[in-house]
Amino acid sequence: MAIADEAKKPQHFKETAKSKKKKKSFSEAFIPHKGDSKKEITGKVISLISIAVLIVCLAILAVYFYHQFEAKQNNKNIKVIYNQAIKDSQSTDIPAADSTQENNEQTPDVVRPPLTVSPAAEEMLAINKDYVGYVYIPDVLSEAVVQTADNEYYLKHNFYDQTRSCGTVFADFRNNVSDYSDLQSDNIILYGHNQRDGTMFGNMDYYKWDYKYWLKNPFIYFDNIYESGTYVIVSSFVINTEPEHDNGNVFDYNNFINFKDSGDYTFENFKKEITERSHFITGIDIDENDKFLTLSTCTYEWEPARHVIIARKLRSGETTDNIDTSNFMVNPNPKWPAIYYKYNGGSYVEQ
């Protein structure tokens, strides 16, 4: 009876059962065994290497996305801490630090009152002793700023001093950031990564081509550890860092820290360069008595290139309400490095 039943089973059932018996385990399929041919061993080794590479790549991607998520969370937490400290100081009527000076020409007999660290800065310094300020543009960027003697360090360390590729916005080590206003650097330069997710200086790209974006967000706010400052953007341009990308020339904007009376780093040279190169014409005047804030980040028109935004500190009597932006217009003839014209055509017509 059993033999008869066996004979009645469909042919495909038998083949399926047979195929199941032939199914190899992971070890048999991928691990070289004694008796394998050279071809089988080679195939298994290649397969193992491919699996290992895939696992490593997935691990790297997982770490990358985790760090991106972590950076956003850290940024949100720092922003909350900073804004809460400001709100608390305002509710308790803590006087704001006064770093202004009626007469910048000081005599040895004049003793300035000591500057007071703001409550918000105290909160930040408790997290990171290298903290020197906070830069923000509503709906564009909001970042704590640090400074050390090494401009490389915070390229790969976050605000909590963890090794992270996203880094932290940092001031040039040569800058005097927090001091009496007249003793601060003429041009404070901040560096930050151009993160593709919009964090750090990732939203600065819009200032290169979006006229409406510029008009909507013309002001940069920068608080050092003593005082708050408001700056109006006067220039945005893309610059080369390698001489061969511009016929041997480099506009080293990052060396205009304190303007000189003569030589390469005068205010007049600074003004000429940033005016000619700017993608937009703002109509906002600047002079040698002004203080400036520069934001610098990577850009991808070619490699390596930098996108630079320069803003002027508001003068006495100026506010965000009375700055005239009616003269803003697209610059029909901005000055680009030679490499730009090589790939895009055209040329710069000197005015």
Side-chain angles (χ1 to χ4, degrees), residues 38-214:
K38 289 183 179 181
K39 184 177 180 180
E40 288 176 319
I41 292 173
T42 301
K44 289 180 178 182
V45 170
I46 292 174
S47 297
L48 286 174
I49 293 174
S50 299
I51 293 171
V53 170
L54 177 62
I55 292 172
V56 170
C57 290
L58 290 174
I60 291 173
L61 281 174
V63 170
Y64 172 79
F65 285 115
Y66 171 75
H67 284 175
Q68 295 296 308
F69 171 78
E70 178 190 58
K72 284 188 174 183
Q73 293 303 115
N74 287 344
N75 180 268
K76 288 179 181 178
N77 293 338
I78 292 168
K79 185 176 181 179
V80 168
I81 294 170
Y82 188 80
N83 289 335
Q84 186 61 49
I86 291 177
K87 187 180 295 184
D88 292 344
S89 66
Q90 291 172 343
S91 64
T92 54
D93 295 325
I94 296 177
D98 181 13
S99 65
T100 60
Q101 183 72 30
E102 291 185 3
N103 181 10
N104 291 344
E105 298 295 329
Q106 295 298 305
T107 64
D109 297 328
V110 175
V111 178
R112 300 191 185 195
L115 296 171
T116 304
V117 176
S118 70
E122 288 181 345
E123 292 285 347
M124 295 293 101
L125 286 166
I127 300 173
N128 188 324
K129 62 180 178 56
D130 293 330
Y131 172 84
V132 292
Y134 199 92
V135 61
Y136 58 101
I137 305 173
D139 302 320
V140 178
L141 67 90
S142 180
E143 298 287 338
V145 179
V146 292
Q147 184 183 39
T148 66
D150 178 8
N151 270 3
E152 300 291 323
Y153 186 79
Y154 278 105
L155 285 172
K156 294 184 178 180
H157 287 80
N158 67 13
F159 191 67
Y160 295 95
D161 204 25
Q162 298 168 309
T163 302
R164 297 290 187 271
S165 60
C166 57
T168 309
V169 174
F170 62 93
D172 193 287
F173 75 95
R174 297 166 293 179
N175 276 135
N176 184 13
V177 178
S178 297
D179 207 332
Y180 296 95
S181 292
D182 58 298
L183 298 181
Q184 293 172 18
S185 297
D186 293 333
N187 183 24
I188 294 173
I189 303 174
L190 307 183
Y191 305 96
H193 289 305
N194 185 354
Q195 296 292 91
R196 295 187 182 276
D197 62 359
T199 57
M200 303 286 282
F201 287 171
N203 286 326
M204 280 175 45
D205 282 352
Y206 293 102
Y207 285 104
K208 290 187 293 188
W209 61 74
D210 194 333
Y211 172 73
K212 292 182 179 179
Y213 191 86
W214 188 313

Side-chain angles (χ1 to χ4, degrees), residues 37 220 307:
S37 66
I220 303 175
H307 178 206

